[in-house]
Amino acid sequence: MTGIANLALLMEIVEDHETGLDLIVVESARLYLGQIGARSSRIVTLEKALRSEGKGSQSAARLMSMPGMGPIAAIAEAFDAGAP
């Protein structure tokens, strides 16, 4: 069980009183899972903004079309190369 898609399921498991988890574990998990959720949604928002910004550069747009090349790397590479 990995990935942000399983965050809600993991929270359900943590909140299930029948798991017998110590209170300190439950409280810590709530804190960390809450932070992961908040940061994940912020990352999605930033990625959308970066993709939009990258479309304004032919080089960045071309780089983003490559498998494994995300908006951050594409914009950085295009900027480093001095391309429009």
Side-chain angles (χ1 to χ4, degrees), residues 43 46-47 50-51 60 64 69-79:
I43 288 168
L46 289 171
E47 276 191 347
L50 284 168
R51 284 189 191 285
M64 282 191 297
M69 181 66 79
I72 295 172
I75 290 172
E77 184 64 34
F79 178 78

Side-chain angles (χ1 to χ4, degrees), residues 2-83:
T2 61
I4 192 66
N6 293 307
L7 191 62
L9 176 60
L10 188 53
M11 186 58 98
E12 284 180 29
I13 293 169
V14 167
E15 296 295 338
D16 184 357
H17 298 289
E18 293 181 18
T19 58
L21 295 172
D22 290 337
L23 182 58
I24 190 70
V25 173
V26 171
E27 291 296 323
S28 297
R30 285 178 184 155
L31 174 70
Y32 294 135
L33 294 173
Q35 290 176 356
I36 291 168
R39 284 180 170 70
S40 295
S41 64
R42 180 72 178 132
I43 288 168
V44 167
T45 301
L46 289 171
E47 276 191 347
K48 286 180 183 176
L50 284 168
R51 284 189 191 285
S52 178
E53 187 69 28
K55 289 178 183 175
S57 162
Q58 290 177 349
S59 296
R62 194 169 37 253
L63 287 166
M64 282 191 297
S65 71
M66 296 171 56
M69 181 66 79
I72 295 172
I75 290 172
E77 184 64 34
F79 178 78
D80 188 46

